[in-house]
Amino acid sequence: MNAVEMTAARKYSSFPQDAPQPAQDVARVQLLLSVAVAVLCVVLVIWILFRTRKSSRRAVLLVGLCDSGKTLLFVRLLTGSFRNTQTSIADISALYRVNNDKRTNVTLIDLPGHESLRLQFLDRFKDAARAIVFVVDSVAFQREMKDVAEFLYQLLIDNVVLKNAPPLLIACNKQDVTMAKSSKLIQQQLERELNTLRVTLSAAPSTLDSTSSGSASQLGKKGKEFDFSQLPMKVEFVECSARGSKGEEGSSDIEDLEKWLAKIA
């Protein structure tokens, strides 16, 4: 072998024997691009479905015990005026325009608060709920705390509610009355009562868990004291007064409720 042949042999042997050819590189890039496009398409479809499903839920449910002031809040939000109301046995609904904007609106639905009706009506409308306003009588709260907690518990363990996770506002109504409890105190006492209720029911299951096949068995995080931050939906508290400080003659104090509705609409 002469010098020229030896030099050529050394050059040839310096190339990796298994180096990919240009055609293989192109095929690999095309495959990676195809996979990336496919993943992007799946993510886009899921996002569109989620947005479509969320936008189709346009109802804001007003729930709570009887005489908590739900219907007067409903009337005040729609008309701004005072009206004597009675305990309802059927749902009432109307279109609510946020900040009087025709393009931004939700459907307010006032659900009956009677014990024999409230879960029945909640089941009827919960799939359409974009958000839920749970109205509490701040004056009668100490007396009604157990009933309030039981109804709230049933709402919070519902599988549809947990899956959709609509924002939840606890509206502490009747703040115009001197004896009204503050929203902070109501939150603290509700968390304690819900925790007690959860522990009691887990030890001895009652009709609260068994009456509805659409209910989960656990509220909050297992092994921890319950608080509202453990829930999948965002929970907020506001103080309000549907009647207002001057009663029938004055305006209501529901600005924080209106701001919240504008935020979730």
Side-chain angles (χ1 to χ4, degrees), residues 185-247:
L185 179 63
I186 289 174
Q187 177 178 351
Q188 292 172 345
Q189 294 194 351
L190 271 179
E191 287 177 337
R192 285 198 296 266
E193 191 65 29
L194 286 168
N195 187 69
T196 300
L197 192 58
R198 178 182 65 172
V199 172
T200 302
L201 293 176
S202 63
S206 70
T207 54
L208 280 177
D209 281 319
S210 60
T211 53
S212 174
S213 59
S215 295
S217 58
Q218 180 65 41
L219 178 69
K221 294 182 180 179
K222 190 174 181 180
K224 291 188 176 181
E225 294 288 314
F226 173 78
D227 64 69
F228 287 103
S229 67
Q230 297 169 7
L231 298 173
M233 71 284 290
K234 185 174 182 180
V235 182
E236 297 179 66
F237 284 72
V238 298
E239 296 181 354
C240 61
S241 173
R243 180 176 291 271
S245 59
K246 296 183 180 180

Side-chain angles (χ1 to χ4, degrees), residues 62 69-85 92 108 110 242 252 254:
L62 298 179
K70 295 186 285 69
T71 304
L72 183 54
L73 275 175
F74 177 84
V75 172
R76 286 289 205 179
L77 286 167
L78 293 171
T79 70
S81 59
F82 179 89
R83 190 183 75 188
N84 287 315
T85 60
I92 311 170
L108 291 181
D110 175 23
S252 60
I254 57 173

Side-chain angles (χ1 to χ4, degrees), residues 130-149:
R130 185 179 188 82
I132 299 175
V133 178
F134 193 102
V135 184
V136 174
D137 184 337
S138 303
V139 179
F141 176 72
Q142 209 64 45
R143 182 177 71 252
E144 297 178 341
M145 181 171 58
K146 291 186 181 299
D147 290 336
V148 171

Side-chain angles (χ1 to χ4, degrees), residues 22-199:
Q24 292 176 315
D25 287 341
V26 172
R28 182 177 300 174
V29 170
Q30 289 176 337
L31 177 61
L32 291 175
L33 285 174
S34 298
V35 171
V37 170
V39 170
L40 182 61
C41 289
V42 171
V43 171
L44 184 61
V45 168
I46 293 174
W47 182 82
I48 291 173
L49 289 173
F50 174 78
R51 294 290 297 178
T52 302
R53 185 177 179 188
K54 183 178 179 182
S55 63
S56 67
R57 298 197 301 267
R58 302 299 304 169
V60 176
L61 309 184
L62 298 179
V63 303
L65 304 188
C66 287
D67 300 322
S68 60
K70 295 186 285 69
T71 304
L72 183 54
L73 275 175
F74 177 84
V75 172
R76 286 289 205 179
L77 286 167
L78 293 171
T79 70
S81 59
F82 179 89
R83 190 183 75 188
N84 287 315
T85 60
Q86 296 178 341
T87 300
S88 57
I89 59 173
D91 61 280
I92 311 170
S93 63
L95 195 66
Y96 172 74
R97 291 188 174 90
V98 177
N99 298 326
N100 294 318
D101 184 353
K102 294 181 179 180
R103 296 171 299 177
T104 308
N105 57 70
V106 293
T107 301
L108 291 181
I109 307 180
D110 175 23
L111 303 186
H114 193 278
E115 186 178 1
S116 63
L117 297 173
R118 58 197 182 208
L119 290 181
Q120 171 189 336
F121 279 88
L122 177 63
D123 285 339
R124 185 181 302 177
F125 293 104
K126 62 188 179 184
D127 282 304
R130 185 179 188 82
I132 299 175
V133 178
F134 193 102
V135 184
V136 174
D137 184 337
S138 303
V139 179
F141 176 72
Q142 209 64 45
R143 182 177 71 252
E144 297 178 341
M145 181 171 58
K146 291 186 181 299
D147 290 336
V148 171
E150 286 181 2
F151 184 20
L152 189 57
Y153 180 90
Q154 290 168 318
L155 172 69
L156 293 176
I157 64 171
D158 185 275
N159 282 332
V160 172
V161 175
L162 286 173
K163 180 181 178 182
N164 293 339
L168 172 64
L169 181 74
I170 304 202
C172 304
N173 194 23
K174 304 186 182 181
Q175 289 291 321
D176 54 293
V177 181
T178 305
M179 298 301 292
K181 299 295 185 290
S182 69
S183 59
K184 184 176 181 179
L185 179 63
I186 289 174
Q187 177 178 351
Q188 292 172 345
Q189 294 194 351
L190 271 179
E191 287 177 337
R192 285 198 296 266
E193 191 65 29
L194 286 168
N195 187 69
T196 300
L197 192 58
R198 178 182 65 172
V199 172

